[in-house]
Every structure is written in structure tokens, then in C-alpha cells.
Amino acid sequence: MRLTFALLLLAGAALAEDLAEVTAQLAAALDTGSVADAQGALSKLPPLYAKGTEEQQKAAVEAVGKAAKAEDLTVRHGAFAALGTMRAKGSSKYLAKWLNPPKKFKGEIPLSYIEAIRAAGQIADATTLATIEDLSDHNDLAIAEVATQALGGFKDLPVKRRKALALDLVNRLEQLAATPRRKWSEEAAARKATLAAATTAALRGLTGKDYQTLEGWKKWKEGAEGAANPFDS
């Protein structure tokens, strides 16, 4: 009974914290190098973000942006995740370093590239769209897959641009499903299958539709091409 009461008190204290307080906690943790405190603050910030004033939100995003440069992977990736959840306009600039992967990797891919691309898709700044589109065709399949999936987050684009992106994705799905003139290698076939699944996921996120087959998406495309806003129906 006492333990339950203590936990309730702790929960109440956490709820009583405001955005400014937790932002200050994060800033202090980054200054002192306390990984545990930084992790704790990063986990608490996103739910408080919408409740803060414009000034508090700006300070919070800047603090998380600083955390995105941390040497510790858990803090860095926690910052990426927080940025993706808060979705502050323009905050993808804090991911810029990790949105420019080399064309080829020697050894394992640093996970920060994957996490940053995923967060960029959640933030969905229009300025990063071209970058994410380029990465969706990256030589490395893991990069290409997560970037393709990230395109599904850009549902807040102006209708004309969103429509163009959706039509491009249907075209890509058709290309991935096309019968080759010669048998694909096992690796190439696996890449196509993976990217087809990622493209379908992106289309669902972007359009709000849930077609299960290529034919369904082709039919949607036919109607969308002549519609001013194919996302309303």
C-alpha cells in the first residue's frame, strides 16, 4: 500500500513538471554529462511540448537539438526520437549531419543515420523532402528502406505536392513489380521486395488509404490524376 502511494506521488510530481522545468533539466544534464538525467528529460519532454508557450517550445527544441549532437548514442537517439515526436517546424536542421550518409559504407552502418532519417520523416519539413527522396534510392538497402517509409510522413504537404509525391510512389511500386527481362539475382529480388513493402507503407501514410494490392493503388492513381484533391474522397 505504501509503495503504491509513493508511486502515485511520483507520478503526480512528474505531471506537475512543466516544459520549462524539464528543458532546464535537459540543459543541466548535457552540461554535466549525466547520461541518465538526459535520458530522463528527453523521455518527459515530448508529452509536455504541446502544453508549453511558444517561447518555452523554442527553448525545448533548441535543447533537444543540442542533445542530438551528443556523443552518447542513447542520448543522441533519444533526441532524434523527441524531435520526431514534437514535430517542430524546421527542427530537421538538427538532423542534417545524419541525413547525408556516404554512398557506400565500410562495415556496419552507424544507426544514427537510420534514426535520423526516421525522425526526419516524422518531422516532415518540406525542405527535407528532396533529401529523403534521394535517400529512398540509396545503395544500402537499410537506408533506402527507412527513407522510403519516411516519405509516408509528409502528409501535411500542400495538396499539389503531396499528390505528386503519391503518384510518384505508385509509379515506383509499378516499376518494382514489373516482370524483368532476365531473372534477378537473389539480392536484387530481395531489395525489390523490401522496397515494394516500404513503398506501400509510405503510400498508406501519405494518402490515408489502405489498398492491399498493386491493382488497388493503380486504380487509385487513375482517379487521383484528374482530381484536385484525391485525399478527400
PDB file of all heavy atoms in Angstrom, residues 182-206:
ATOM      1  N   ARG A 182      15.212 -10.531 -67.512  1.00  0.00           N
ATOM      2  CA  ARG A 182      16.011 -11.680 -67.108  1.00  0.00           C
ATOM      3  C   ARG A 182      15.831 -11.885 -65.613  1.00  0.00           C
ATOM      4  O   ARG A 182      15.376 -10.989 -64.905  1.00  0.00           O
ATOM      5  CB  ARG A 182      17.490 -11.458 -67.434  1.00  0.00           C
ATOM      6  CG  ARG A 182      18.072 -10.249 -66.746  1.00  0.00           C
ATOM      7  CD  ARG A 182      19.528 -10.043 -67.150  1.00  0.00           C
ATOM      8  NE  ARG A 182      20.096  -8.892 -66.473  1.00  0.00           N
ATOM      9  CZ  ARG A 182      21.358  -8.489 -66.631  1.00  0.00           C
ATOM     10  NH1 ARG A 182      22.157  -9.151 -67.453  1.00  0.00           N
ATOM     11  NH2 ARG A 182      21.809  -7.434 -65.984  1.00  0.00           N
ATOM     12  N   LYS A 183      16.171 -13.052 -65.163  1.00  0.00           N
ATOM     13  CA  LYS A 183      15.981 -13.383 -63.762  1.00  0.00           C
ATOM     14  C   LYS A 183      16.883 -12.529 -62.879  1.00  0.00           C
ATOM     15  O   LYS A 183      18.072 -12.386 -63.144  1.00  0.00           O
ATOM     16  CB  LYS A 183      16.289 -14.863 -63.529  1.00  0.00           C
ATOM     17  CG  LYS A 183      15.987 -15.323 -62.115  1.00  0.00           C
ATOM     18  CD  LYS A 183      16.241 -16.797 -61.962  1.00  0.00           C
ATOM     19  CE  LYS A 183      15.939 -17.251 -60.533  1.00  0.00           C
ATOM     20  NZ  LYS A 183      16.188 -18.704 -60.363  1.00  0.00           N
ATOM     21  N   TRP A 184      16.276 -11.936 -61.834  1.00  0.00           N
ATOM     22  CA  TRP A 184      17.054 -11.130 -60.906  1.00  0.00           C
ATOM     23  C   TRP A 184      17.896 -12.026 -60.010  1.00  0.00           C
ATOM     24  O   TRP A 184      17.531 -13.165 -59.727  1.00  0.00           O
ATOM     25  CB  TRP A 184      16.121 -10.294 -60.020  1.00  0.00           C
ATOM     26  CG  TRP A 184      15.389  -9.213 -60.735  1.00  0.00           C
ATOM     27  CD1 TRP A 184      14.073  -9.215 -61.088  1.00  0.00           C
ATOM     28  CD2 TRP A 184      15.920  -7.973 -61.186  1.00  0.00           C
ATOM     29  NE1 TRP A 184      13.756  -8.048 -61.742  1.00  0.00           N
ATOM     30  CE2 TRP A 184      14.870  -7.269 -61.815  1.00  0.00           C
ATOM     31  CE3 TRP A 184      17.199  -7.391 -61.124  1.00  0.00           C
ATOM     32  CZ2 TRP A 184      15.055  -6.000 -62.372  1.00  0.00           C
ATOM     33  CZ3 TRP A 184      17.369  -6.123 -61.682  1.00  0.00           C
ATOM     34  CH2 TRP A 184      16.313  -5.458 -62.296  1.00  0.00           C
ATOM     35  N   SER A 185      19.019 -11.479 -59.570  1.00  0.00           N
ATOM     36  CA  SER A 185      19.798 -12.186 -58.564  1.00  0.00           C
ATOM     37  C   SER A 185      18.983 -12.229 -57.282  1.00  0.00           C
ATOM     38  O   SER A 185      18.032 -11.455 -57.093  1.00  0.00           O
ATOM     39  CB  SER A 185      21.123 -11.460 -58.309  1.00  0.00           C
ATOM     40  OG  SER A 185      20.878 -10.210 -57.673  1.00  0.00           O
ATOM     41  N   GLU A 186      19.338 -13.110 -56.396  1.00  0.00           N
ATOM     42  CA  GLU A 186      18.614 -13.230 -55.125  1.00  0.00           C
ATOM     43  C   GLU A 186      18.668 -11.925 -54.343  1.00  0.00           C
ATOM     44  O   GLU A 186      17.675 -11.501 -53.736  1.00  0.00           O
ATOM     45  CB  GLU A 186      19.235 -14.368 -54.308  1.00  0.00           C
ATOM     46  CG  GLU A 186      18.460 -14.702 -53.040  1.00  0.00           C
ATOM     47  CD  GLU A 186      19.021 -15.921 -52.338  1.00  0.00           C
ATOM     48  OE1 GLU A 186      19.571 -16.799 -53.024  1.00  0.00           O
ATOM     49  OE2 GLU A 186      18.915 -15.977 -51.101  1.00  0.00           O
ATOM     50  N   GLU A 187      19.815 -11.271 -54.371  1.00  0.00           N
ATOM     51  CA  GLU A 187      19.972  -9.998 -53.654  1.00  0.00           C
ATOM     52  C   GLU A 187      19.089  -8.912 -54.251  1.00  0.00           C
ATOM     53  O   GLU A 187      18.428  -8.154 -53.531  1.00  0.00           O
ATOM     54  CB  GLU A 187      21.437  -9.560 -53.701  1.00  0.00           C
ATOM     55  CG  GLU A 187      21.703  -8.272 -52.940  1.00  0.00           C
ATOM     56  CD  GLU A 187      23.161  -7.850 -52.999  1.00  0.00           C
ATOM     57  OE1 GLU A 187      23.976  -8.603 -53.586  1.00  0.00           O
ATOM     58  OE2 GLU A 187      23.485  -6.786 -52.465  1.00  0.00           O
ATOM     59  N   ALA A 188      19.058  -8.839 -55.603  1.00  0.00           N
ATOM     60  CA  ALA A 188      18.243  -7.827 -56.272  1.00  0.00           C
ATOM     61  C   ALA A 188      16.759  -8.076 -56.030  1.00  0.00           C
ATOM     62  O   ALA A 188      15.980  -7.134 -55.818  1.00  0.00           O
ATOM     63  CB  ALA A 188      18.538  -7.822 -57.770  1.00  0.00           C
ATOM     64  N   ALA A 189      16.358  -9.331 -56.056  1.00  0.00           N
ATOM     65  CA  ALA A 189      14.964  -9.667 -55.814  1.00  0.00           C
ATOM     66  C   ALA A 189      14.547  -9.303 -54.394  1.00  0.00           C
ATOM     67  O   ALA A 189      13.444  -8.789 -54.165  1.00  0.00           O
ATOM     68  CB  ALA A 189      14.736 -11.151 -56.071  1.00  0.00           C
ATOM     69  N   ALA A 190      15.443  -9.542 -53.437  1.00  0.00           N
ATOM     70  CA  ALA A 190      15.154  -9.208 -52.046  1.00  0.00           C
ATOM     71  C   ALA A 190      15.034  -7.688 -51.875  1.00  0.00           C
ATOM     72  O   ALA A 190      14.171  -7.204 -51.131  1.00  0.00           O
ATOM     73  CB  ALA A 190      16.248  -9.757 -51.137  1.00  0.00           C
ATOM     74  N   ARG A 191      15.903  -6.950 -52.549  1.00  0.00           N
ATOM     75  CA  ARG A 191      15.845  -5.485 -52.479  1.00  0.00           C
ATOM     76  C   ARG A 191      14.502  -4.978 -53.013  1.00  0.00           C
ATOM     77  O   ARG A 191      13.854  -4.132 -52.403  1.00  0.00           O
ATOM     78  CB  ARG A 191      16.998  -4.867 -53.264  1.00  0.00           C
ATOM     79  CG  ARG A 191      16.989  -3.329 -53.261  1.00  0.00           C
ATOM     80  CD  ARG A 191      18.114  -2.750 -54.095  1.00  0.00           C
ATOM     81  NE  ARG A 191      17.995  -1.293 -54.178  1.00  0.00           N
ATOM     82  CZ  ARG A 191      18.562  -0.427 -53.336  1.00  0.00           C
ATOM     83  NH1 ARG A 191      19.308  -0.874 -52.339  1.00  0.00           N
ATOM     84  NH2 ARG A 191      18.389   0.872 -53.486  1.00  0.00           N
ATOM     85  N   LYS A 192      14.089  -5.523 -54.161  1.00  0.00           N
ATOM     86  CA  LYS A 192      12.824  -5.091 -54.759  1.00  0.00           C
ATOM     87  C   LYS A 192      11.644  -5.391 -53.838  1.00  0.00           C
ATOM     88  O   LYS A 192      10.748  -4.555 -53.659  1.00  0.00           O
ATOM     89  CB  LYS A 192      12.623  -5.772 -56.114  1.00  0.00           C
ATOM     90  CG  LYS A 192      13.378  -5.111 -57.255  1.00  0.00           C
ATOM     91  CD  LYS A 192      13.111  -5.837 -58.561  1.00  0.00           C
ATOM     92  CE  LYS A 192      13.670  -5.056 -59.740  1.00  0.00           C
ATOM     93  NZ  LYS A 192      12.920  -3.814 -60.000  1.00  0.00           N
ATOM     94  N   ALA A 193      11.634  -6.570 -53.253  1.00  0.00           N
ATOM     95  CA  ALA A 193      10.539  -6.950 -52.369  1.00  0.00           C
ATOM     96  C   ALA A 193      10.494  -6.046 -51.137  1.00  0.00           C
ATOM     97  O   ALA A 193       9.421  -5.599 -50.706  1.00  0.00           O
ATOM     98  CB  ALA A 193      10.684  -8.408 -51.952  1.00  0.00           C
ATOM     99  N   THR A 194      11.654  -5.755 -50.576  1.00  0.00           N
ATOM    100  CA  THR A 194      11.729  -4.904 -49.389  1.00  0.00           C
ATOM    101  C   THR A 194      11.256  -3.491 -49.699  1.00  0.00           C
ATOM    102  O   THR A 194      10.481  -2.894 -48.937  1.00  0.00           O
ATOM    103  CB  THR A 194      13.172  -4.865 -48.846  1.00  0.00           C
ATOM    104  OG1 THR A 194      13.560  -6.177 -48.454  1.00  0.00           O
ATOM    105  CG2 THR A 194      13.284  -3.927 -47.651  1.00  0.00           C
ATOM    106  N   LEU A 195      11.711  -2.949 -50.828  1.00  0.00           N
ATOM    107  CA  LEU A 195      11.333  -1.581 -51.189  1.00  0.00           C
ATOM    108  C   LEU A 195       9.876  -1.489 -51.628  1.00  0.00           C
ATOM    109  O   LEU A 195       9.233  -0.453 -51.440  1.00  0.00           O
ATOM    110  CB  LEU A 195      12.260  -1.051 -52.279  1.00  0.00           C
ATOM    111  CG  LEU A 195      13.709  -0.838 -51.837  1.00  0.00           C
ATOM    112  CD1 LEU A 195      14.533  -0.225 -52.971  1.00  0.00           C
ATOM    113  CD2 LEU A 195      13.783   0.056 -50.607  1.00  0.00           C
ATOM    114  N   ALA A 196       9.345  -2.566 -52.192  1.00  0.00           N
ATOM    115  CA  ALA A 196       7.923  -2.572 -52.545  1.00  0.00           C
ATOM    116  C   ALA A 196       7.070  -2.487 -51.281  1.00  0.00           C
ATOM    117  O   ALA A 196       6.092  -1.730 -51.223  1.00  0.00           O
ATOM    118  CB  ALA A 196       7.578  -3.822 -53.340  1.00  0.00           C
ATOM    119  N   ALA A 197       7.459  -3.239 -50.256  1.00  0.00           N
ATOM    120  CA  ALA A 197       6.729  -3.197 -48.987  1.00  0.00           C
ATOM    121  C   ALA A 197       6.849  -1.820 -48.338  1.00  0.00           C
ATOM    122  O   ALA A 197       5.872  -1.279 -47.808  1.00  0.00           O
ATOM    123  CB  ALA A 197       7.256  -4.273 -48.045  1.00  0.00           C
ATOM    124  N   ALA A 198       8.039  -1.234 -48.393  1.00  0.00           N
ATOM    125  CA  ALA A 198       8.256   0.095 -47.814  1.00  0.00           C
ATOM    126  C   ALA A 198       7.476   1.159 -48.575  1.00  0.00           C
ATOM    127  O   ALA A 198       6.927   2.098 -47.982  1.00  0.00           O
ATOM    128  CB  ALA A 198       9.745   0.428 -47.816  1.00  0.00           C
ATOM    129  N   THR A 199       7.413   1.021 -49.891  1.00  0.00           N
ATOM    130  CA  THR A 199       6.667   1.979 -50.720  1.00  0.00           C
ATOM    131  C   THR A 199       5.176   1.898 -50.423  1.00  0.00           C
ATOM    132  O   THR A 199       4.487   2.920 -50.340  1.00  0.00           O
ATOM    133  CB  THR A 199       6.926   1.709 -52.216  1.00  0.00           C
ATOM    134  OG1 THR A 199       8.327   1.798 -52.469  1.00  0.00           O
ATOM    135  CG2 THR A 199       6.201   2.723 -53.088  1.00  0.00           C
ATOM    136  N   THR A 200       4.678   0.689 -50.253  1.00  0.00           N
ATOM    137  CA  THR A 200       3.267   0.516 -49.899  1.00  0.00           C
ATOM    138  C   THR A 200       2.966   1.157 -48.550  1.00  0.00           C
ATOM    139  O   THR A 200       1.947   1.841 -48.383  1.00  0.00           O
ATOM    140  CB  THR A 200       2.905  -0.984 -49.862  1.00  0.00           C
ATOM    141  OG1 THR A 200       3.143  -1.559 -51.150  1.00  0.00           O
ATOM    142  CG2 THR A 200       1.443  -1.183 -49.490  1.00  0.00           C
ATOM    143  N   ALA A 201       3.865   0.969 -47.588  1.00  0.00           N
ATOM    144  CA  ALA A 201       3.684   1.586 -46.274  1.00  0.00           C
ATOM    145  C   ALA A 201       3.689   3.108 -46.387  1.00  0.00           C
ATOM    146  O   ALA A 201       2.891   3.797 -45.738  1.00  0.00           O
ATOM    147  CB  ALA A 201       4.788   1.126 -45.323  1.00  0.00           C
ATOM    148  N   ALA A 202       4.577   3.647 -47.213  1.00  0.00           N
ATOM    149  CA  ALA A 202       4.639   5.093 -47.404  1.00  0.00           C
ATOM    150  C   ALA A 202       3.350   5.614 -48.036  1.00  0.00           C
ATOM    151  O   ALA A 202       2.832   6.667 -47.641  1.00  0.00           O
ATOM    152  CB  ALA A 202       5.837   5.449 -48.282  1.00  0.00           C
ATOM    153  N   LEU A 203       2.826   4.896 -49.003  1.00  0.00           N
ATOM    154  CA  LEU A 203       1.582   5.311 -49.652  1.00  0.00           C
ATOM    155  C   LEU A 203       0.420   5.330 -48.668  1.00  0.00           C
ATOM    156  O   LEU A 203      -0.417   6.235 -48.687  1.00  0.00           O
ATOM    157  CB  LEU A 203       1.260   4.378 -50.817  1.00  0.00           C
ATOM    158  CG  LEU A 203       1.957   4.701 -52.134  1.00  0.00           C
ATOM    159  CD1 LEU A 203       1.841   3.533 -53.119  1.00  0.00           C
ATOM    160  CD2 LEU A 203       1.360   5.966 -52.747  1.00  0.00           C
ATOM    161  N   ARG A 204       0.368   4.351 -47.794  1.00  0.00           N
ATOM    162  CA  ARG A 204      -0.701   4.319 -46.801  1.00  0.00           C
ATOM    163  C   ARG A 204      -0.616   5.527 -45.872  1.00  0.00           C
ATOM    164  O   ARG A 204      -1.628   6.151 -45.554  1.00  0.00           O
ATOM    165  CB  ARG A 204      -0.623   3.016 -45.997  1.00  0.00           C
ATOM    166  CG  ARG A 204      -1.054   1.795 -46.794  1.00  0.00           C
ATOM    167  CD  ARG A 204      -0.799   0.508 -46.037  1.00  0.00           C
ATOM    168  NE  ARG A 204      -1.220  -0.657 -46.813  1.00  0.00           N
ATOM    169  CZ  ARG A 204      -0.771  -1.883 -46.647  1.00  0.00           C
ATOM    170  NH1 ARG A 204       0.144  -2.127 -45.718  1.00  0.00           N
ATOM    171  NH2 ARG A 204      -1.222  -2.873 -47.391  1.00  0.00           N
ATOM    172  N   GLY A 205       0.596   5.853 -45.441  1.00  0.00           N
ATOM    173  CA  GLY A 205       0.753   7.001 -44.567  1.00  0.00           C
ATOM    174  C   GLY A 205       0.450   8.309 -45.270  1.00  0.00           C
ATOM    175  O   GLY A 205      -0.172   9.212 -44.702  1.00  0.00           O
ATOM    176  N   LEU A 206       0.868   8.404 -46.515  1.00  0.00           N
ATOM    177  CA  LEU A 206       0.727   9.655 -47.270  1.00  0.00           C
ATOM    178  C   LEU A 206      -0.709   9.915 -47.706  1.00  0.00           C
ATOM    179  O   LEU A 206      -1.171  11.061 -47.708  1.00  0.00           O
ATOM    180  CB  LEU A 206       1.639   9.599 -48.495  1.00  0.00           C
ATOM    181  CG  LEU A 206       1.820  10.889 -49.299  1.00  0.00           C
ATOM    182  CD1 LEU A 206       2.513  11.958 -48.452  1.00  0.00           C
ATOM    183  CD2 LEU A 206       2.650  10.610 -50.549  1.00  0.00           C
TER     184      LEU A 206
END
